[in-house]
């Protein structure tokens, strides 16, 4: 046997392509074309590993350990939030046409809190009047002169529109309808009280309130 023939004999070692230095795959030869066992690109290998790790964490977090809510749970959470929002809107919606002054302690207490925050600057701590009119006497600037009555509906319109010429802004975007009803109910409850240092009467004298 010549030396050349001896070089072409495979002695059990993988056959290596001299150009690429990759080994040939056994049994992968068609029409004289042989397939090389090319190495996978590093970026592809790492992407494959990351995909496997991500899948394992996803499976564990969403379906085994419950670290994050499933799609079904997310749907339920969203629907619960929507129902809560609907209840809140329903609760904060009042019928102005049939609105009446609230008389229960809880509502009047809530109205007092609102009054202290936004009304005392103009109407005084006890409704005696400062820049704004006295809220405790029988003289009012805004009322139903035909029926000789100051209603909560009249006052509601004032709060919603404001009285810009007198320096009172609209509280439409600052207070909910329920909060406006509460603070107006408190202000009407001041009628007939006798605070110290009352401001002089302004407007027309009314006989009925509510």
């Amino acid at each position: 046997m010549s030396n050349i023939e001896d070089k072409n004999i495979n002695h059990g070692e993988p056959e290596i392509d001299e150009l690429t230095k990759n080994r040939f795959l056994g049994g992968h030869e068609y029409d004289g074309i042989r397939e090389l066992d090319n190495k996978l690109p590093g970026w592809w290998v790492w992407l494959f590993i990351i995909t496997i790790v991500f899948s394992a964490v996803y499976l564990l977090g969403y379906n085994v350990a419950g670290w994050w809510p499933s799609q079904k749970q997310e749907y339920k959470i969203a629907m619960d939030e929507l129902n809560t929002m609907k209840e809140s809107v329903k609760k904060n919606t009042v019928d102005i046409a049939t609105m009446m002054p609230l008389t229960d302690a809880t509502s009047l207490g809530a109205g007092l809190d609102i009054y202290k925050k936004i009304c005392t600057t103009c109407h005084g701590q006890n409704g005696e009047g400062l820049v704004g009119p006295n809220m405790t006497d029988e003289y009012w600037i805004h009322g139903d002169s035909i029926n000789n009555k100051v209603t909560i509906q009249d006052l509601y319109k004032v709060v919603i529109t404001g009285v810009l010429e007198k320096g009172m802004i609209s509280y439409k975007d600052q207070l909910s309808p329920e909060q406006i009803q509460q603070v107006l109910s408190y202000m009407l409850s001041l009628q007939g009280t006798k605070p110290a240092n009352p401001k002089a009467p302004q407007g027309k004298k009314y006989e009925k309130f509510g």
Side-chain angles (χ1 to χ4, degrees), residues 128-145:
E128 67 274 19
L130 293 172
V131 178
N134 186 336
M135 310 301 291
T136 66
D137 62 16
E138 298 171 314
Y139 291 85
W140 288 67
I141 298 174
H142 305 280
D144 181 357
S145 57

Side-chain angles (χ1 to χ4, degrees), residues 58 62-63 68-81:
Y58 186 94
Y62 280 101
N63 298 292
W68 307 293
S70 64
Q71 287 186 335
K72 184 176 181 180
Q73 291 170 327
E74 288 182 341
Y75 175 77
K76 184 177 183 307
I77 292 171
M79 291 304 297
D80 289 344
E81 291 177 349

Side-chain angles (χ1 to χ4, degrees), residues 17-32:
D17 177 57
E18 294 181 355
L19 180 61
T20 63
K21 305 304 181 186
N22 291 326
R23 71 183 180 88
F24 287 104
L25 290 174
H28 289 244
E29 180 176 356
Y30 304 95
D31 297 332

Side-chain angles (χ1 to χ4, degrees), residues 3-208:
N3 292 334
I4 295 176
E5 291 174 333
D6 185 60
K7 287 181 180 178
N8 293 331
I9 294 176
N10 187 344
H11 297 285
E13 297 295 330
E15 192 174 358
I16 304 300
D17 177 57
E18 294 181 355
L19 180 61
T20 63
K21 305 304 181 186
N22 291 326
R23 71 183 180 88
F24 287 104
L25 290 174
H28 289 244
E29 180 176 356
Y30 304 95
D31 297 332
I33 301 174
R34 305 179 67 185
E35 184 177 359
L36 291 171
D37 184 15
N38 293 315
K39 293 181 179 178
L40 294 171
W43 65 267
W44 193 97
V45 174
W46 280 110
L47 182 61
F48 183 66
I49 293 173
I50 291 172
T51 302
I52 294 175
V53 172
F54 176 82
S55 301
V57 173
Y58 186 94
L59 177 66
L60 185 64
Y62 280 101
N63 298 292
V64 180
W67 295 336
W68 307 293
S70 64
Q71 287 186 335
K72 184 176 181 180
Q73 291 170 327
E74 288 182 341
Y75 175 77
K76 184 177 183 307
I77 292 171
M79 291 304 297
D80 289 344
E81 291 177 349
L82 177 61
N83 291 331
T84 301
M85 187 182 301
K86 287 182 177 179
E87 289 297 325
S88 177
V89 171
K90 183 178 179 181
K91 182 179 179 181
N92 290 326
T93 301
V94 296
D95 184 356
I96 299 176
T98 59
M99 181 186 293
M100 296 293 291
L102 303 170
T103 57
D104 62 283
T106 300
S107 298
L108 293 178
L112 172 60
D113 291 338
I114 299 169
Y115 182 88
K116 287 181 177 178
K117 292 178 182 176
I118 64 175
C119 303
T120 55
T121 302
C122 295
H123 296 288
Q125 289 287 337
N126 301 300
E128 67 274 19
L130 293 172
V131 178
N134 186 336
M135 310 301 291
T136 66
D137 62 16
E138 298 171 314
Y139 291 85
W140 288 67
I141 298 174
H142 305 280
D144 181 357
S145 57
I146 297 176
N147 296 306
N148 196 24
K149 183 177 182 179
V150 175
T151 67
I152 194 169
Q153 288 90 350
D154 297 325
L155 302 181
Y156 189 93
K157 295 175 184 175
V158 174
V159 174
I160 290 296
T161 58
V163 187
L164 296 180
E165 64 273 19
K166 299 291 185 181
M168 178 177 169
I169 65 171
S170 166
Y171 288 92
K172 179 179 63 177
D173 297 327
Q174 300 184 39
L175 298 175
S176 69
E178 183 184 26
Q179 288 175 316
I180 295 175
Q181 185 181 19
Q182 290 170 339
V183 69
L184 291 178
S185 297
Y186 171 75
M187 294 173 74
L188 287 171
S189 74
L190 298 175
Q191 188 60 210
T193 60
K194 305 293 183 182
N197 303 316
K199 188 176 182 180
Q202 292 177 281
K204 181 181 180 300
K205 184 178 181 179
Y206 288 89
E207 295 181 353
K208 295 178 286 186

